[in-house]
Every structure is written in structure tokens, then in C-alpha cells.
Amino acid sequence: MDVIKALTDIVGEEDIRTDPVELLCYSRDASVHQLFPKAVVRPSSREEVVQIVKLANRERFPIVPRGAGTNLTGQTMLKDGVILDLTLMNHVLDLRLEDFQVIVEPGVVQLQLNEQLMKHKVFFPPDPASKKACTIGGMIANNSSGLHCVKYGTTKQYVLGLEVVLPTGHIIRTGSHVFKSVSGYDLTSLFIGSEGTLGIFTEATLKLRPSPETKLTAYAAFNDLRIAGQTVHRIMTSGVMPSAIEIMDKIAVRTVREVRGIDMPRCEALLLFEVDGDMEAVKRDMNRIKGLCDKAIEVRVATDLKEAEELWNARSSLVPSFSRLDPKLKQVPIAEDMGVPISRIPDAVTGVRAIFDKHGILGTVYGHIGDGNLHTRILIDYNNPEHWKLVRGLHGEIYEFILSLDGTVTGEHGIGITRWTFLKKEHREAVEYMRAIKNLLDPNNIMNPGKMAMAEYPEALPFVAWEAGRL
Amino acid sequence: MIDIDGEILTCMMCGYCRAVCPIFDQIGWESANSRGKVLVSAALRYGKMKPNADIAERLFACTTCEHCKEICPPSVEVAEIIQLTRRDLVKKGIMKPAHKVIIKSLNDNYNPLQESHAKRFANIEGLVRQKSKTAYFVGCMDSYRSPSLANALITVLKKAEVSFSLLPEERCCGSVLLRIGEVDLARRLAEFNIKQARKLGVERVVFACPGCYRTWKKDYTELFGSLDLELLHYTELFDELIQKAVIQPEKINRHVTYFDPCHLGRHLGVFDEPRSILSALGVRLTEMPKTRSDAHCCGAGGGFRAAYKDQSLAIAQKRVEEARSIGVDAIVTTCPFCVHNLSDVAGDMEVLELAELLAHSLK
């Protein structure tokens, strides 16, 4: 059977590409990996998705759904398979303001959705840094989160129900249109964060929140990273709920100052806070936070929106500024995401920092620290095989350390390919039951096979995008 | 000249450029997006792919609007990477047929529009060649396609009693050649134009066309070093003259929007002066949904309109619809290319050059 012809019959000539240039462009995402597909198709309806999945089962070729491909661990690339680019399925199907819900297709872009919702003074809170480009389908597949999830929760808290095309081509609807329901197993939760291994979402019912009335932003500078971490814990256990709380280590602060010329205090660590709500509440909450920062060397509340925006720009420009620190070095997302219980935050930030210093690696520790989520970025010579060797070792060392703190190897970016080896280390026997579920739903193993450690490590998952020395 | 290897390395493959690339917005495949074009440029540069028509099709589909660089977290010079890579394709004779026509026209007649060089200023009145500190560089678009815009500009210059002169001989600034990758001819045209300016002994050059302005200010400087000339767009000059009350426009009762041309706005940072002039004209201004450095491209530049006309017009159509959605009577802009592309699809929405509005208000 000519699979390409069969796919063309399903989506039409305009919506399938197999030329080497297009396949190259779909061989990457924001991770270090690269895998070349056999074809990319753009279905525009649930019916086309079903037909493609059924074909994949009959002819036994792998498929993966893909939104904007902004993911960080190789989730949306596939060797010799067919990528389903779902960005044509980008309609807001039904805005139910009276129920604080919206029903969308998977290709709707987060920011475009929120720009529409803003007019009605509601919003969809999960806000990954990629929100300008990322799609709802991708956010659900990754259980994406961002700055404001410390208060508002992750994508998981905002998906009431899904329409899923299972790997066998059957369609099911999960969840309901009710905020609270305990009827049967919570299948919606199973699919959220499944990284494209259990099904393709063709519809999602999302919960909305009212937009907060106002916000206040502040920073606190510390001359000790551990004390900054301890302050985070104090704040998170005090009863105040900041709408965002971020940490930046000294390398982060220095990078933003030197590369962007943003005026940041000289310190070992910086915390950035935001509180939102009505005016009385935000003033009160900010005063309480200031009080809890008594060990800081400086605390400053932004006096107006412009100053607040500048502070958040400093935070959001950290990773790109890091890219510009040295033209010969490249920043790579490896060991870039992890989480710990909030009491272990001080140990986690200082411990990861110490690992970088021990190996002489130029790395920074930062992140959505309020829920114990840390990020790192490291700069390496991409063409130096010794650096890659070092990075592989570092990867293991950091995650062994984080697991020793009762932590998780990924707070929000997922397992994908990059963290394949750590799923078993974290979840041990439970991984076999995850695989059993995978086998039940996907008996022919066609849906994003090998990802998320749902099969034994296949040779088809190389660690690095370009072989060192060939860039 | 950018460090192309460094720029390619800096690209984080984050995909944020998908939110702004006008070509991606039209075509929707990843190869149409800035990120895809960086990958393709890298594959060519490092020998993983050989140049061919498929690659050319993707790499020439870019207006070089630099919106991607604006949204790009580390500000990767994607448009520069693409233009440099186009040079390699052109050297191998791989280019769009429409661009071959443009190159021949520039070679033979010093303009990209297949018009006669001798007739360059045939439809423009009031041009002078005289000793002056200020040269007015008309540009090919105004010379051949929109002489009324040049006439309007000259009206304002004369009303303001600004002494100016044409260059003894004016040839295309070479912008389109630099965008599509034919550098040698661009360099020869640039050398000629600069020599003409030196011959005239001018201290400053005023431009009507942001493309010419950008090319002199950024590209000529890169090719030849500092020119020791003050370079400005007419909006910068006229705004100053209005502020100093040298010219005092009468109020115009219109409800308009201002469309930021990419070359004037995002590339050169000129956002305020056109708006200041509109304010002096007393028009009611409603801004486009995206403005200034976040303004969306009209779809014409970088050789895109010539080689991908339908898609170029489809992009322009979106801009016109955005203007309609804000309820204005007219789109005012300051670039002949934007005027042309938008006018082709604007229907009953008027598309005006600011110079024309200003000239009208000084009558």
C-alpha cells in the first residue's frame, strides 16, 4: 500500500508534504534532539485525524500529534513516522461565559485565546513562556505551566474534558462540563501530560477564571542563595499566596545586567514577586511579603506598571540573554527542569549551583520556585565532544541529587527523549503499570512510540541534535 | 556583517517567531516560518543539503521584515541569515525567475521596474539640480510608479523653503538586490550613488522611500563604512519643520490609522515623527491592532511581491481587514511599497501617503 497516496487521499494534496526541506523543518523542536519524519500532514477535522490514525494502525507506521513544536524534550519529532501538524484545527468552538468555560480545537494558540477572552474580563491562566506560539493541544499534552501557576495551578486544573482520538482510531469523550465530577476514573487526567503517547486531542473544554483587578510587583535581593530559598519557603507557608514568585541566581542577575543593560542589584540571588487581586488585598499581601523578606539586603516594590513590566522583562530575558553571553557557546536545555518539595528548596538551589561550580560549567539556576520548580540553563561548546560528555554526566548527577531530595525529574517540561533514563529512577515499579496502560490503549505502539520511556530504549532516539563537530 | 555561525548557534529553536512571521501566517508550514528558514540556511551552510529549487522556494519566501528578530528572545538576525544564504544561491544561479527579471532591469536601466532610465523623472515636476546642502533621493518607486508622492514631497519642501537638489544622476539604491542576494550589482549602484552625493557636495540626504533610507543608513554603511552624511526620512525633516513652525498645516478632518512600514519603523526606529505630523494635521488617529516595532508587515518587501504576488497580496489583505476592524476611513503610511501593496487590495479603503496629506494641508 502506498501510504503517502493514502494520506494524500485523506487530507488532500495541499496538506501533505514529504520533500526533504519540509521534513528537515519538522525534524526539530526546542530540544537538543533531531529525528526526521517520513511525512507531515495537516488534518483539518476530527474525521481526518481518525482516518489517519486508523491507517497508521493498519499499516503500522508511527505518528505523533504536534502543535507549535515549542516543546523542550523531543516530544513532537519522529523517526520515519508521520507528524500530524494540528495547527489548522485552530477554532474556538464555543465560548460559554455563563459557565466560565470555552471549548476549543487543539491548534488554538494560548495568547490568541487569552486576547479574545480579555475583552470579557476572563482568562485561561496557565502561561508558559511560549504562550505567544504554543497551542492548547500541546499545553494539554505537556501539562504546561508557567509564571502564574504557583497561584492558579497548571493546565491540568483547567481541562474539564477532552475529545480524544485513541491510538486505535476510536473516539472517546472524557470528563464533563462540570467543575466538579467524580463519576468513574478520571481519564482526562490520564491524558494530560501524556506527551502525545496515548491519543490525539481534537477538542478540549477549558475552565476559565475571572481576570484579577490589579497587581503589584516587587523584588528582594539577597547575598546568600540559601537564605533566598528559605525566604521562598517562609512565604509559601505563611498564608500569603503570591500570583508569581521567581528566583534568579547570581549568574542570572549578572547576565541580565551585562547583556541587556537592565539595572539589577548586585546580589547572590534575587526573588521576584507578584500579588494580584483587589487593591486592598494586594497592598496587604505585598506588605506581608516584604515583612517576610527581613533577611534581604534590598526590597523594592515597583511604583508603576512600567517598572513592574521592566522587572518581568528582566526575568523573561534571562534565557535569551544567556544565549548571548558568549558567541562561541550555546545554551542547551539539558537538566533544565526539576522540582522538589518546598521545604527542600534551599537545598535544591544551593546544591545544583554547587554542582555547576564543581564542574566549572557556566550554568544558571532560576525558575518558578514557589511551587518548588527549578530551571537551569548551561552554556557549552556545541562542537566539543568533551563538553557533551560532561553534560551527560552532569545530567545524571543533577537528577540523582534532586531525587535524593524526594524531588521530581521534571516539573513542567516533560520526559520526552531527554529525560528518558530518569523515569524509572523516579517511579520505579509504577513505570511498568504506565507501560501497561500504554499497551492497552496503543496495542500496535504507533502513537509517538518510544517517548516518555514507554518502551525499552530504542536506538531511534539519539541524544544530541547534531553530532558534535558537525555543526 | 553578522557572525552567521554565531547567529545560527544562538537560535534556540523556540518557535516564538511563529507568532509574527507574515509568511508563516499565510502558508502555515514550518518551512515558511523563520525557525524553519534558520534550519534550512544551516543545512545549506554546513553541507547537509545541496542548493535546489525546493530550498530556493522556501528561502526566497521572506519579506525581510525582521518581525521575527523583534519577538525572538535572543534577537537572532534571521533576516540577515536568509539574505546571506540567498547570496550563495544566487551565485549558483538559483533564484526565482521574477528576480532574474529584476536583476536584468537593474543591470540595463538602473531600476527594478523594467522602465527606461532616461525617463526616470519624466513625471515629476519641480525637481531641481542646484548647489545645495540637501539632496533629495527620489527612489525608483516614486519615480516610476507614484510620481504624485514625489510631487507632494517637493511641494512641502518648497513651501518650507528648504533648498534641495536631486543627485546629478540617480540610480536605484540597490535595496532589492541586497534582499534577494545579488550583492555585486548592489555594490556598484551604491558606489555610484555615493559618488554622486559627493560630487554634489551635500551634507544630508532626504528620502521618501524607507527602503532607500534603510539601505543607505544600514547597508551602505556596512559596505563602505560611515558615509559622513546626515540621512533622514522626510517625516523626520517635516516633523522638525512643523515643531519649529516653519510650516503650519491646516487641520484635516479625517479618521485614519497609521501603518508603520517595516523599513522605517522596526528597522530604523522612526515611529514618533509620522504620528507627530498626523497630530499636527489634526486627524483623528486610531492605531492598528499591532503598531511600532510590533507592526505586521504589508507583504511587499524583500523581493517577495515580485516572486510570490498572490501571497503578498493576501498578506496585504489582512492588514486592510485589520484597518477595517478599527473603523477608520483611510490608512496613512510613509512607504511607496506599502502604499502599492495595500492599495491593490484595499477596495473602498483609502490608502494615503503622509506626504500627500501634508502637501494638501499646506495649500
Side-chain angles (χ1 to χ4, degrees):
Chain A
M1 129 102 51
D2 182 344
V3 163
I4 300 300
K5 176 161 186 327
L7 287 168
T8 310
D9 289 343
I10 296 170
V11 297
E13 261 176 31
E14 294 298 311
D15 289 322
I16 177 168
R17 286 199 178 176
T18 56
D19 66 279
V21 182
E22 202 64 54
L23 300 185
L24 167 68
C25 294
Y26 282 85
S27 69
R28 295 291 312 275
D29 55 22
S31 73
V32 290
H33 309 287
Q34 182 170 39
L35 294 172
F36 286 84
K38 183 159 63 178
V40 186
V41 293
R42 294 192 309 177
S44 12
S45 68
R46 159 212 301 124
E47 289 67 35
E48 286 181 4
V49 173
V50 168
Q51 286 178 65
I52 294 165
V53 174
K54 286 185 167 162
L55 181 70
N57 266 289
R58 277 202 306 277
E59 301 301 318
R60 299 285 203 271
F61 58 83
I63 57 176
V64 65
R66 177 173 166 129
T70 54
N71 48 276
L72 283 152
T73 57
Q75 294 96 317
T76 57
M77 56 179 68
L78 209 53
K79 186 171 151 82
D80 294 337
V82 176
I83 294 180
L84 279 75
D85 179 334
L86 295 173
T87 52
L88 287 183
M89 294 179 65
N90 62 354
H91 303 95
V92 174
L93 298 172
D94 191 3
L95 174 56
R96 300 183 179 181
L97 278 175
E98 66 281 9
D99 284 321
F100 260 37
Q101 295 175 23
V102 64
I103 302 177
V104 299
E105 286 187 322
V108 169
V109 173
Q110 197 271 18
L111 187 64
Q112 287 176 19
L113 174 64
N114 270 321
E115 278 172 353
Q116 273 189 53
L117 295 174
M118 209 163 64
K119 301 177 214 158
H120 306 283
K121 296 203 176 44
V122 294
F123 74 125
F124 173 66
D127 56 347
S130 54
K131 62 189 179 188
K132 292 169 208 176
C134 73
T135 63
I136 299 295
M139 287 180 67
I140 297 172
N142 284 285
N143 191 14
S144 298
S145 67
L147 274 185
H148 291 96
C149 295
V150 63
K151 173 170 178 177
Y152 287 98
T154 63
T155 301
K156 188 170 262 194
Q157 275 75 56
Y158 291 91
V159 182
L160 296 172
L162 293 168
E163 179 183 84
V164 189
V165 177
L166 295 173
T168 46
H170 298 109
I171 304 182
I172 59 168
R173 297 195 72 95
T174 71
S176 73
H177 292 155
V178 183
F179 284 1
K180 267 169 76 168
S181 170
V182 291
S183 50
Y185 293 139
D186 183 4
L187 290 181
T188 309
S189 281
L190 173 66
F191 288 109
I192 300 172
S194 60
E195 300 184 25
T197 59
L198 292 183
I200 300 179
F201 316 129
T202 45
E203 210 179 276
T205 302
L206 308 177
K207 182 173 160 181
L208 304 174
R209 290 287 291 264
S211 305
E213 185 189 301
T214 189
K215 306 179 180 192
L216 272 181
T217 296
Y219 71 72
F222 296 82
N223 55 15
D224 187 306
L225 182 58
R226 176 171 285 279
I227 292 177
Q230 285 164 351
T231 306
V232 172
H233 185 247
R234 278 178 86 190
I235 292 169
M236 295 308 297
T237 51
S238 67
V240 173
M241 180 48 80
S243 49
I245 170 168
E246 298 283 308
I247 195 165
M248 292 167 70
D249 73 358
K250 67 173 180 228
I251 303 287
V253 176
R254 204 179 76 202
T255 300
V256 164
R257 200 175 43 238
E258 284 173 14
V259 175
R260 288 289 157 125
I262 298 177
D263 186 23
M264 307 285 284
R266 287 171 199 280
C267 55
E268 288 292 302
L270 192 82
L271 296 181
L272 262 181
F273 312 100
E274 185 193 86
V275 287
D276 72 8
D278 67 75
M279 190 47 98
E280 288 304 309
V282 303
K283 281 190 187 148
R284 186 192 60 228
D285 286 347
M286 191 51 88
N287 279 332
R288 283 178 73 185
I289 288 178
K290 278 169 70 179
L292 293 164
C293 292
D294 52 356
K295 298 216 169 78
I297 53 175
E298 186 192 340
V299 180
R300 183 179 162 80
V301 180
T303 49
D304 54 28
L305 266 177
K306 186 160 174 281
E307 196 184 337
E309 222 176 82
E310 275 165 14
L311 286 172
W312 288 112
N313 280 342
R315 162 63 181 91
S316 64
S317 70
L318 164 59
V319 168
S321 301
F322 209 53
S323 292
R324 291 288 189 190
L325 258 189
D326 186 327
K328 294 278 177 310
L329 301 181
K330 183 174 173 65
Q331 55 112 336
V332 288
I334 293 180
E336 89 297 348
D337 178 41
M338 60 208 78
V340 292
I342 57 172
S343 64
R344 310 308 303 267
I345 288 171
D347 288 335
V349 293
T350 51
V352 173
R353 183 72 260 146
I355 292 174
F356 286 154
D357 292 342
K358 180 175 95 185
H359 290 286
I361 272 265
L362 188 47
T364 178
V365 178
Y366 68 100
H368 318 305
I369 199 65
D371 35 34
N373 185 199
L374 274 94
H375 291 313
T376 72
R377 282 300 163 112
I378 52 180
L379 281 181
I380 64 167
D381 179 351
Y382 214 74
N383 291 314
N384 184 344
E386 287 308 309
H387 271 220
W388 281 107
K389 225 162 128 190
L390 178 61
V391 157
R392 282 189 110 118
L394 197 72
H395 202 201
E397 195 176 337
I398 287 179
Y399 284 127
E400 295 290 353
F401 170 64
I402 290 297
L403 288 173
S404 78
L405 298 182
D406 202 12
T408 177
V409 298
T410 174
E412 54 182 19
H413 294 166
I415 294 286
I417 301 173
T418 322
R419 278 180 276 277
W420 201 102
T421 43
F422 297 103
L423 189 71
K424 250 196 173 153
K425 287 195 205 273
E426 183 174 337
H427 289 294
R428 300 195 208 98
E429 303 79 16
V431 173
E432 291 315 309
Y433 291 87
M434 294 185 200
R435 288 177 178 172
I437 293 171
K438 165 71 171 164
N439 290 337
L440 176 70
L441 294 179
D442 186 10
N444 296 323
N445 196 28
I446 53 118
M447 188 78 69
N448 214 8
K451 302 289 182 63
M452 217 178 87
M454 287 299 102
E456 287 314 312
Y457 196 90
E459 281 157 31
L461 298 184
F463 192 74
V464 301
W466 291 303
E467 265 177 82
R470 287 242 219 123
L471 174 60
Chain B
M1 179 72 102
I2 59 161
D3 165 16
I4 188 173
D5 297 306
E7 290 301 308
I8 290 172
L9 203 64
T10 301
C11 173
M12 305 189 322
M13 295 280 135
C14 67
Y16 294 11
C17 41
R18 290 167 63 107
V20 297
C21 176
I23 317 302
F24 174 70
D25 184 54
Q26 270 309 299
I27 298 178
W29 290 97
E30 186 66 42
S31 62
N33 185 37
S34 317
R35 174 172 66 173
K37 296 199 180 93
V38 171
L39 270 175
V40 173
S41 301
L44 276 180
R45 185 168 176 79
Y46 306 123
K48 293 184 184 225
M49 280 196 161
K50 294 229 172 348
N52 59 37
D54 266 348
I55 286 184
E57 189 62 26
R58 269 51 171 244
L59 284 181
F60 284 106
C62 167
T63 59
T64 70
C65 71
E66 296 194 357
H67 208 164
C68 46
K69 177 181 163 187
E70 187 66 33
I71 204 175
C72 174
S75 305
V76 172
E77 298 272 7
V78 182
E80 294 291 317
I81 292 171
I82 291 169
Q83 284 167 85
L84 286 174
T85 310
R86 286 174 179 180
R87 293 184 191 186
D88 295 336
L89 291 172
V90 165
K91 277 198 191 100
K92 295 185 161 66
I94 299 173
M95 65 185 96
K96 300 289 288 178
H99 293 165
K100 280 193 179 140
V101 171
I102 286 175
I103 292 169
K104 183 169 191 326
S105 175
L106 279 157
N107 222 3
D108 298 345
N109 275 292
Y110 313 124
N111 72 81
L113 302 166
Q114 298 173 267
E115 300 285 354
S116 147
H117 182 58
K119 297 219 173 93
R120 189 168 178 94
F121 300 133
N123 293 314
I124 304 175
E125 300 142 16
L127 291 169
V128 286
R129 285 190 173 84
Q130 62 186 357
K131 205 113 188 72
S132 174
K133 293 247 169 12
T134 303
Y136 163 35
F137 190 88
V138 182
C140 301
M141 281 300 285
D142 279 1
S143 299
Y144 294 109
R145 293 286 179 268
S146 324
S148 60
L149 306 187
N151 289 328
L153 219 139
I154 288 165
T155 301
V156 182
L157 284 168
K158 290 198 163 157
K159 282 261 153 81
E161 294 176 5
V162 174
S163 151
F164 72 94
S165 176
L166 288 193
L167 296 184
E169 187 189 332
E170 185 188 286
R171 294 181 184 176
C172 176
C173 67
S175 177
V176 66
L177 292 168
L178 291 165
R179 310 305 148 228
I180 65 179
E182 175 45 74
V183 177
D184 294 335
L185 181 53
R187 181 186 281 271
R188 290 202 299 277
L189 289 167
E191 278 167 347
F192 179 86
N193 283 326
I194 294 168
K195 216 166 158 183
Q196 295 294 304
R198 302 269 184 252
K199 222 164 139 180
L200 201 57
V202 296
E203 289 172 9
R204 74 177 175 182
V205 184
V206 177
F207 298 89
C209 170
C212 302
Y213 181 29
R214 189 256 193 237
T215 302
W216 278 69
K217 201 157 193 176
K218 281 196 157 176
D219 300 288
Y220 282 19
T221 309
E222 199 173 276
L223 287 169
F224 306 111
S226 166
L227 298 176
D228 280 327
L229 287 168
E230 190 192 352
L231 304 172
L232 59 169
H233 188 253
Y234 77 76
T235 50
E236 293 173 289
L237 175 64
F238 294 161
D239 182 50
E240 194 186 324
L241 293 174
I242 291 173
Q243 298 305 320
K244 290 186 172 146
V246 174
I247 43 174
Q248 282 161 322
E250 283 184 6
K251 304 292 182 201
I252 298 180
N253 186 13
R254 298 289 312 257
H255 181 201
V256 307
T257 189
Y258 176 64
F259 183 84
D260 287 284
C262 300
H263 278 152
L264 188 64
R266 202 170 12 258
H267 290 224
L268 294 174
V270 179
F271 305 114
D272 292 329
E273 290 85 343
R275 288 172 167 86
S276 172
I277 295 172
L278 283 169
S279 173
L281 287 172
V283 299
R284 183 175 149 217
L285 176 70
T286 300
E287 294 276 13
M288 293 284 280
K290 302 283 182 190
T291 63
R292 296 173 173 259
S293 56
D294 203 23
H296 284 301
C297 181
C298 76
F304 189 69
R305 180 182 150 108
Y308 301 84
K309 184 128 187 231
D310 291 344
Q311 280 141 344
S312 175
L313 293 177
I315 293 170
Q317 182 68 52
K318 282 205 143 178
R319 303 291 86 81
V320 170
E321 273 155 25
E322 284 157 14
R324 285 213 176 90
S325 76
I326 55 173
V328 296
D329 305 326
I331 300 169
V332 178
T333 187
T334 44
C335 169
F337 253 117
C338 298
V339 167
H340 265 268
N341 223 35
L342 294 170
S343 297
D344 274 357
V345 294
D348 55 356
M349 169 75 72
E350 263 193 281
V351 181
L352 302 168
E353 241 295 345
L354 182 53
E356 285 187 306
L357 266 187
L358 186 55
H360 186 71
S361 82
L362 292 175
K363 282 209 163 93

